Amino acid sequence: MGGPWSLPWSPTACSSARAVIRDVLRQWGLDDLVSTAELLVSELVSNALRHASGPLHLTLERVSGLRCLVSDGSADLPRPADAGPEDECGRGLLLVDMLAAQWGCEGGPGGKSVWFELSGDPCARGLDGDAKGEAA
């Protein structure tokens, strides 16, 4: 297990999270997951910054691939939005749903964690449009 790492409550949190996930995945020999993991962790961290409150933490777990948890101090659980064609926001969780093998959220006494899992198998990540695990 990696972390938890404290992230700053600022726009630099996304780049900090990407750096951590890149370094850890390379240490674990999961280089093929880096670009997708960086994209998805950026989405979860930016959602937390926009819709939640601090503190902000990142935890990485080695499962069959990667499990990434972004925790914040808010009890409000996220919901995928129905973004219209002209909307600038509202597609982040839909992207997570498309690319992650699984994702979900868990509430706790100090806030919540939103997580995603990636496997080393591109089909499990949904990159070719095949079926994948269900979102929690």
Side-chain angles (χ1 to χ4, degrees):
M1 183 159 133
W5 289 270
S6 293
L7 299 173
W9 197 265
S10 74
T12 63
C14 290
S15 63
S16 297
R18 286 191 304 270
V20 167
I21 212 164
R22 183 174 44 249
D23 292 345
V24 170
L25 286 177
R26 288 185 175 145
Q27 289 173 12
W28 288 350
L30 298 172
D31 297 57
D32 61 320
L33 301 181
V34 169
S35 61
T36 303
E38 285 180 319
L39 174 65
L40 298 185
V41 78
S42 290
E43 290 296 335
L44 295 189
V45 170
S46 62
N47 279 353
L49 291 171
R50 180 181 289 259
H51 301 290
S53 59
L56 187 59
H57 294 95
L58 172 67
T59 305
L60 304 177
E61 298 174 357
R62 179 113 189 233
V63 290
S64 61
L66 165 72
R67 185 170 195 208
C68 173
L69 297 92
V70 174
S71 304
D72 61 57
S74 173
D76 296 333
L77 300 179
R79 297 172 283 154
D82 289 326
E86 302 298 319
D87 292 336
E88 294 291 322
C89 299
R91 293 177 179 81
L93 288 177
L94 296 175
L95 185 63
V96 172
D97 186 50
M98 287 174 50
L99 297 178
Q102 296 183 51
W103 75 276
C105 49
E106 303 163 354
K112 69 172 171 304
S113 293
V114 182
W115 58 270
F116 66 84
E117 289 185 7
L118 295 175
S119 74
D121 177 7
C123 293
R125 292 195 310 261
L127 295 178
D128 65 358
D130 287 347
K132 58 181 177 59
E134 295 203 14

